Amino acid sequence: MRKLICLFCLLCLLHPSATLLAVEGSLPEKYNVVWDSPSKDYNGSMPIGNGDIGANVWVEPTGDLIFYVSKTDAWSGGGPDPELLKLGRFRVRLDKPLFQEGAIFRQELDLKTGSIMIHAAIGDIKRSIRFWIDANRPVVHVDIESSTPCSAEIALESWRAEGKFLRGGAQKDIILPVDGQTVRWYQRNVHSIFKDSLKNQHLGEVADQFHDPLLSRTFGGLISGAGLKSKDNKTLVSSEPAKKIDITIHALTAQTKTAQEWLAKIDLQRKKAEEVSLEKAWQAHAQWWQAFWQRSWIDVTSAAGPKKNTTPSLLPPNKLNFRVGVNSVGSEKFKGELGRSSIFKRALSDAEIKKIALTRSPSSQIPEGDILFTTTSEFYSEVPNSSQWSDSSEITLEAWVKPHASNRIGRIWDKTMPGNDEGFLLDSYTANNLRLIAGNHRVDIPNGLKIGEWNHVAVVMEADQNRWAVYINGQKVAGKASESPADHSTEVSQAYALQRFMNACAGRGAYPIKFNGSLFTVDGVDAFHAEPEGVQFGPDHRRWGGPYWFQNTRLIYWPMLTSGDFDLMLPLFNMYREMLPLLRERTRRYFGHEGVFFSETIQIWGLFRTTDFGVNNPGFYATSGYMKYNWDCGLELSAMMLDYYLYTQDQSFVKDTLVPIADEVVTFYSRHYPRNPDGKLHVSPSQSLETWHTAEDPTPVVAGLRVVLPGLLALPESTTSEDQRNRWKRLLEEVREIPIAEEAGKKWIKPAHVFSERKNCENPELYAVFPYPVYGVGRPHLDVARETFVRRANKGNGGWQQNSIQAAMLGLTTEAKDLLIQSVINENLIGNEVERSKRPDSRFPAFWGPNFDWIPDQCHGSVIERVLQCMLIQTDGKKIFLLPAWPKDWNASFKLHAPYQTTVEGRVENGKVLDLKVTPESRKKDIQFLN
């Protein structure tokens, strides 16, 4: 064990930042993702990014480093709609591969520094790669270090240059001729659907008055590196072997008159980046990520107290010591290879078993303080003084095994006499069958092990809870569940941290995060589409394509308020603000009045998705029944911006973005709809989301107006005009009450005042809880909203469904926690069917999906974020509610944001908040505890 630890330390010395996880063991490092083996394909990729440029990174079994690179503004020219395309795929190959049989391998996503660290050792040769995308510049870095001089090559692999998977009207990539020291390529939009889109939606006469965001948009990159030379127009190679090789990829998107102008821009961009040394760039990059993680955090742990180990062991006692790989008389030796083998003095949780199954080498993944014994090499012998270890009420045994085809009966762990099964026995027989004999607990797992491959096996015994379980490669394959519910706090915390990380990787670009894959889509087969079985769609594919869908996109952004990630929200607001001139003109031409409406599906310039509006549609309303009157997303956008102002107190944002958008939205409702005889606004014809296609005065609209209008009136008078305030007051007086049903003394919210034709699986009535908190904890008529939750028609969970958020907002602790855990551990009710929220071949823990959308599903992960936040903290004006839906069996450490530039930091222990720190101090008086 000591020798292997030293080897690991030597590897880490190549890049000191790689040791952070083992040394500090604090947030966010405790949720790093670590793999000890390569990935078979793109499904085993890790995400990384700088806010604008993203990459999927993995090492193939061949030892080659592979990665895709994406950018937030790489839009095709369209056909029928623009698609967000990748820049390319890249392959880095060393003269001695990063992996081969017998190699020590470790790939780690280091959250603290926003980098991926890869360490490999083959014999005496040790290699290290630090992969990072500069948080401050548009540069991808592949930093290679080796214990001996090595050679490397990097190649661009362009499927589009070969004419494959040309989505959204994409052309073949242009790869420039060899220049001796760089690889240069680009995709250039030589045509655009922008004017055709305006013409099809009855705006062709004004098309020349608006900027075409697609035509001549050019995106691509440049590969370079000191000591690298051209092999061909797609490949650079080392001029001579070296111990350090630094490869850079410079990415650029720009609308230029000519391709030569784009080439001049990227060459200048490269020169400016090279003016900063690699070390200075890395330090500034790491500082950005450190500041990001210091903004906020949630770290959940179990509140279960120490157990009283008074229950007898589940194992019958005997005087024999444990043995590894052999029985007590030295026979039935395991044929194959044995790796790390350990005994723990307690019963590890499912999550802990999954963690220790990640690596065969010592690391912080193993809870070493609980280890009774461990060895990291073949050990066909007796463990001294171990006879009484099985007498305690709990124990865990684990081992790495690689069975040979000749293995007939081979012991893994043994504490029995031949011919007498009393004691403990874990072995394999007929090569790949796994068997456990532990007193009365006997189980066979046929074909459980893979011949010639490393398998992780573990057994847990816990007498206090009458729990026992057998695991293979981190997955439970047999056993009896604990009599107390599983905790899952570790998985919840990691899911929260990883989703927030992915948002930061893609949230600072020119356009908002795409809900259907973000920057991290990969090749795959999409069973949703009626295509021949097994057909690949290519790495640019995403279900529902390139347009934005607000109901999905908004879920990514609500959690950013509480986490204080305000900079990540601006691309969303900016995109909608830039649409205003065109949408004002649309409303004037369509309906002859002022104001704007934002449709549920939009192109990046603001008009409907072509499929929804319809080709040759003679009218002004979408032909899709799901989208015909589905435009109340402008109200939710306004509500979100109002909260953004409350949190940041940024009055320039109010003047430049919030009021210009929100005033146009409420003006549309005021001018577009008639009044009833009683003077109340009558929102009809309309619909209640995508679910009720015929609706009058739908709840999302009524609740939205009842939240947005008071929010606008509460803005500082210096940021609004008297005319605006008078119009807002008048409209608020005209808005109807929330529609309520009553029966047998119970009241609940209806989806609209009048409704019919249910078509989808949303609960519009609960929009009066989230995103429009008319009802909730600390607010009037909580009983009405809770009754509505009980009666909701759609009880699904996963993807964009938000029942878990609404449960937390209503203080329904048990329901919120159960739904949250279901989403995290990959078990959800999608529609009316129980489905997995994550495809089994997606190796990265937070690559959810496809669910309703695609992989990775950003709605699913963002709902996890939001519900966890709402369980801990909610606000109403200046009121701050702590623990409104927090389970007493979870502890937590947290730092979260609240309105009026406030942060709330502390610990939860056994249902109590300790070490509470509120900044500014004056806001502490506004704290209310609701647990």
Side-chain angles (χ1 to χ4, degrees):
M1 178 181 181
R2 185 176 303 160
K3 181 184 292 186
L4 192 52
I5 290 176
C6 292
L7 176 58
F8 174 70
C9 292
L10 180 59
L11 286 171
C12 291
L13 285 174
L14 292 173
H15 280 305
S17 61
T19 64
L20 289 170
L21 173 62
V23 174
E24 297 182 11
S26 60
L27 277 174
E29 302 91 284
K30 66 187 295 185
Y31 299 118
N32 285 4
V33 178
V34 181
W35 296 334
D36 77 328
S37 63
S39 299
K40 65 178 182 178
D41 58 23
Y42 44 78
N43 291 305
S45 64
M46 279 183 177
I48 198 78
N50 71 346
D52 180 42
I53 301 170
N56 298 70
V57 182
W58 72 98
V59 175
E60 287 188 343
T62 62
D64 290 354
L65 173 69
I66 315 292
F67 54 97
Y68 286 115
V69 173
S70 305
K71 203 167 183 299
T72 63
D73 51 4
W75 294 100
S76 71
D81 298 312
E83 299 274 358
L84 186 63
L85 305 179
K86 293 191 180 300
L87 301 187
R89 169 174 153 140
F90 306 85
R91 181 180 298 269
V92 175
R93 177 172 292 165
L94 305 183
D95 53 3
K96 298 290 185 182
L98 284 167
F99 183 80
Q100 64 185 39
E101 189 66 26
I104 297 173
F105 178 89
R106 179 184 176 90
Q107 177 176 333
E108 178 174 1
L109 174 62
D110 184 13
L111 294 173
K112 184 174 183 179
T113 61
S115 64
I116 293 174
M117 312 299 300
I118 300 169
H119 302 294
I122 302 174
D124 294 332
I125 299 175
K126 301 166 187 65
R127 300 276 169 80
S128 175
I129 292 180
R130 180 175 67 189
F131 190 106
W132 54 291
I133 305 178
D134 195 326
N136 305 295
R137 298 171 187 83
V139 186
V140 179
H141 289 272
V142 184
D143 303 338
I144 304 168
E145 295 194 14
S146 177
S147 59
T148 58
C150 71
S151 298
E153 73 171 40
I154 179 169
L156 166 68
E157 298 182 342
S158 172
W159 57 93
R160 288 191 297 266
E162 300 171 5
K164 297 179 180 178
F165 308 124
L166 299 180
R167 302 189 62 83
Q171 310 297 306
K172 287 186 177 182
D173 282 349
I174 302 299
I175 302 176
L176 277 296
V178 171
D179 73 347
Q181 59 182 356
T182 67
V183 170
R184 299 167 297 162
W185 80 101
Y186 62 83
Q187 169 83 193
R188 182 171 172 84
N189 293 341
V190 296
H191 73 271
S192 164
I193 69 159
F194 175 74
K195 288 187 177 181
D196 290 338
S197 168
L198 268 66
K199 182 179 180 181
N200 184 62
Q201 298 187 34
H202 313 302
L203 294 166
E205 293 180 5
V206 297
D208 291 335
Q209 300 176 23
F210 297 96
H211 172 68
D212 184 338
L214 300 178
L215 190 63
S216 300
R217 182 178 289 262
T218 308
F219 47 91
L222 180 155
I223 310 174
S224 65
L228 298 181
K229 63 181 181 179
S230 299
K231 178 181 178 181
D232 53 46
N233 67 338
K234 294 186 290 186
T235 312
L236 298 181
V237 297
S238 299
S239 300
E240 59 184 14
K243 288 188 175 183
K244 295 183 67 174
I245 303 172
D246 299 319
I247 301 171
T248 57
I249 300 175
H250 303 263
L252 173 67
T253 298
Q255 281 188 275
T256 57
K257 292 182 179 180
T258 65
Q260 287 301 318
E261 185 180 341
W262 180 88
L263 287 168
K265 283 179 176 289
I266 197 169
D267 191 53
L268 178 61
Q269 176 180 296
R270 171 200 173 192
K271 290 177 181 178
K272 287 184 177 180
E274 290 177 347
E275 291 174 358
V276 180
S277 71
L278 179 65
E279 185 56 32
K280 284 186 177 180
W282 165 255
Q283 291 297 331
H285 166 86
Q287 287 170 6
W288 188 93
W289 279 103
Q290 183 178 15
F292 172 79
W293 292 113
Q294 288 176 348
R295 288 180 190 172
S296 70
W297 62 81
I298 299 177
D299 182 28
V300 186
T301 55
S302 174
K307 299 174 183 175
K308 297 179 180 180
N309 294 324
T310 58
T311 307
S313 170
L314 292 172
L315 300 178
N318 63 35
K319 296 182 180 180
L320 297 171
N321 285 328
F322 282 96
R323 286 171 170 77
V324 183
V326 67
N327 69 14
S328 59
V329 295
S331 62
E332 297 183 339
K333 182 179 178 180
F334 183 86
K335 291 183 175 60
E337 296 180 55
L338 291 174
R340 185 191 68 222
S341 304
S342 311
I343 301 178
F344 299 83
K345 62 184 178 182
R346 66 178 178 87
L348 301 187
S349 67
D350 291 352
E352 289 173 315
I353 294 294
K354 286 181 182 179
K355 276 194 172 184
I356 66 172
L358 289 174
T359 175
R360 299 200 307 275
S361 61
S363 75
S364 61
Q365 300 292 326
I366 305 175
E368 294 200 12
D370 300 309
I371 290 179
L372 292 166
F373 167 84
T374 190
T375 179
T376 56
S377 59
E378 295 188 355
F379 187 87
Y380 298 100
S381 188
E382 182 176 346
V383 180
N385 304 314
S386 62
S387 62
Q388 294 183 343
W389 290 355
S390 61
D391 297 345
S392 65
S393 65
E394 51 184 315
I395 192 171
T396 301
L397 301 97
E398 60 102 22
W400 280 95
V401 300
K402 185 194 284 188
H404 189 272
S406 64
N407 188 69
R408 188 180 68 85
I409 296 180
R411 299 295 199 242
I412 299 172
W413 281 106
D414 184 40
K415 193 180 186 293
T416 62
M417 285 295 295
N420 184 346
D421 292 339
E422 292 297 319
F424 179 89
L425 168 68
L426 180 67
D427 68 357
S428 65
Y429 61 95
T430 58
N432 66 343
N433 298 326
L434 188 66
R435 175 175 63 175
L436 169 69
I437 299 175
N440 294 326
H441 307 289
R442 301 174 183 231
V443 64
D444 292 301
I445 299 117
N447 304 315
L449 305 176
K450 293 182 179 180
I451 301 298
E453 297 184 20
W454 283 106
N455 305 262
H456 183 262
V457 296
V459 176
V460 174
M461 311 291 290
E462 187 175 15
D464 287 344
Q465 300 296 332
N466 195 25
R467 169 191 170 219
W468 67 275
V470 182
Y471 302 82
I472 297 178
N473 296 326
Q475 300 296 317
K476 186 188 295 184
V477 294
K480 181 181 184 299
S482 169
E483 293 181 353
S484 60
D487 176 61
H488 297 301
S489 58
T490 300
E491 296 102 315
V492 167
S493 292
Q494 185 182 52
Y496 182 87
L498 294 181
Q499 184 61 46
R500 186 167 172 248
F501 169 76
M502 287 198 296
N503 288 344
C505 287
R508 295 192 295 148
Y511 288 90
I513 297 169
K514 288 290 284 142
F515 70 96
N516 47 354
S518 187
L519 294 177
F520 308 115
T521 58
V522 295
D523 317 61
V525 176
D526 189 350
F528 180 84
H529 292 268
E531 299 286 344
E533 185 175 354
V535 168
Q536 293 284 326
F537 284 84
D540 292 320
H541 171 73
R542 57 184 80 232
R543 192 180 291 178
W544 308 115
Y548 284 91
W549 299 59
F550 186 82
Q551 289 277 17
N552 306 68
T553 303
R554 47 113 192 191
L555 289 167
I556 302 169
Y557 289 91
W558 279 113
M560 294 178 184
L561 292 165
T562 307
S563 60
D565 298 326
F566 307 120
D567 53 336
L568 307 186
M569 303 183 75
L570 294 177
L572 177 72
F573 302 148
N574 293 342
M575 182 179 75
Y576 278 90
R577 183 187 62 205
E578 295 303 311
M579 297 173 182
L580 288 177
L582 176 58
L583 298 189
R584 287 193 197 101
E585 182 66 19
R586 176 175 69 175
T587 301
R588 188 182 69 80
R589 286 179 169 263
Y590 281 17
F591 306 122
H593 60 70
E594 293 101 1
V596 303
F597 69 92
F598 295 110
S599 52
E600 163 64 12
T601 64
I602 57 166
Q603 305 287 8
I604 59 175
W605 52 89
L607 297 190
F608 280 99
R609 187 175 72 135
T610 304
T611 303
D612 293 328
F613 189 81
V615 177
N616 299 322
N617 173 7
F620 295 138
Y621 295 95
T623 58
S624 167
Y626 292 92
M627 302 298 161
K628 190 170 186 179
Y629 306 113
N630 190 0
W631 48 40
D632 49 279
C633 53
L635 290 171
E636 185 170 352
L637 178 68
S638 300
M640 185 184 292
M641 291 189 296
L642 284 164
D643 275 2
Y644 178 92
Y645 166 67
L646 284 180
Y647 278 72
T648 64
Q649 295 294 289
D650 183 352
Q651 293 195 18
S652 62
F653 172 80
V654 174
K655 294 180 179 179
D656 298 339
T657 304
L658 193 167
V659 169
I661 292 176
D663 186 41
E664 294 283 1
V665 169
V666 297
T667 295
F668 178 85
Y669 280 96
S670 179
R671 296 297 308 276
H672 190 71
Y673 292 104
R675 272 60 177 176
N676 288 328
D678 62 0
K680 295 296 185 182
L681 187 71
H682 183 48
V683 183
S684 179
S686 189
Q687 64 188 83
S688 199
L689 305 181
E690 292 185 35
T691 295
W692 299 100
H693 286 197
T694 301
E696 298 180 25
D697 299 308
T699 295
V701 175
V702 174
L705 288 169
R706 286 193 162 276
V707 167
V708 170
L709 290 167
L712 290 172
L713 289 167
L715 293 172
E717 290 194 358
S718 61
T719 64
T720 63
S721 70
E722 184 177 0
D723 173 66
Q724 287 172 327
R725 293 191 296 274
N726 288 335
R727 287 190 285 107
W728 298 338
K729 289 176 184 176
R730 185 166 57 249
L731 180 59
L732 181 58
E733 293 172 353
E734 296 171 341
V735 176
R736 295 187 69 177
E737 298 294 329
I738 302 287
I740 299 293
E742 183 173 4
E743 182 180 74
K746 291 188 175 182
K747 295 181 179 181
W748 63 94
I749 309 166
K750 299 190 296 183
H753 278 275
V754 178
F755 53 95
S756 63
E757 292 189 83
R758 182 182 178 87
K759 299 290 186 178
N760 208 336
C761 55
E762 300 156 313
N763 297 313
E765 60 274 20
L766 285 168
Y767 270 54
V769 175
F770 173 81
Y772 307 119
V774 177
Y775 302 89
V777 294
R779 294 179 171 87
H781 309 299
L782 179 60
D783 59 324
V784 173
R786 286 181 170 177
E787 181 68 20
T788 307
F789 186 84
V790 170
R791 291 174 179 263
R792 72 195 189 281
N794 170 40
K795 292 181 168 59
N797 191 33
W800 46 254
Q801 297 177 106
Q802 56 188 40
N803 284 303
S804 54
I805 299 175
Q806 288 155 343
M809 294 286 287
L810 295 173
L812 301 173
T813 302
T814 301
E815 292 87 342
K817 180 186 177 186
D818 289 348
L819 291 170
L820 172 64
I821 289 174
Q822 287 173 17
S823 294
V824 169
I825 68 172
N826 199 24
E827 294 178 356
N828 280 294
L829 187 66
I830 305 295
N832 293 315
E833 300 291 334
V834 176
E835 295 182 8
R836 296 294 182 187
S837 56
K838 180 174 174 291
R839 212 160 59 181
D841 55 358
S842 293
R843 192 175 186 184
F844 190 72
F847 271 11
W848 319 104
N851 298 326
F852 298 103
D853 302 319
W854 194 228
I855 304 168
D857 176 4
Q858 300 305 288
C859 302
H860 187 93
S862 298
V863 169
I864 289 172
E865 284 187 286
R866 188 61 185 149
V867 66
L868 188 61
Q869 293 172 347
C870 290
M871 292 166 71
L872 265 172
I873 186 172
Q874 295 180 36
T875 62
D876 180 11
K878 288 195 172 182
K879 299 175 186 176
I880 302 173
F881 305 126
L882 287 185
L883 312 186
W886 192 253
K888 294 189 184 303
D889 58 345
W890 276 357
N891 290 340
S893 167
F894 65 91
K895 178 183 179 183
L896 297 169
H897 292 246
Y900 303 99
Q901 297 179 320
T902 303
T903 58
V904 182
E905 183 177 349
R907 293 183 296 115
V908 182
E909 285 193 8
N910 300 311
K912 302 296 182 183
V913 177
L914 306 177
D915 302 330
L916 181 63
K917 178 182 177 182
V918 180
T919 306
E921 180 77 20
S922 60
R923 291 279 277 133
K924 200 165 187 177
K925 68 180 185 302
D926 298 317
I927 298 286
Q928 297 182 27
F929 299 95
L930 297 183
N931 56 319

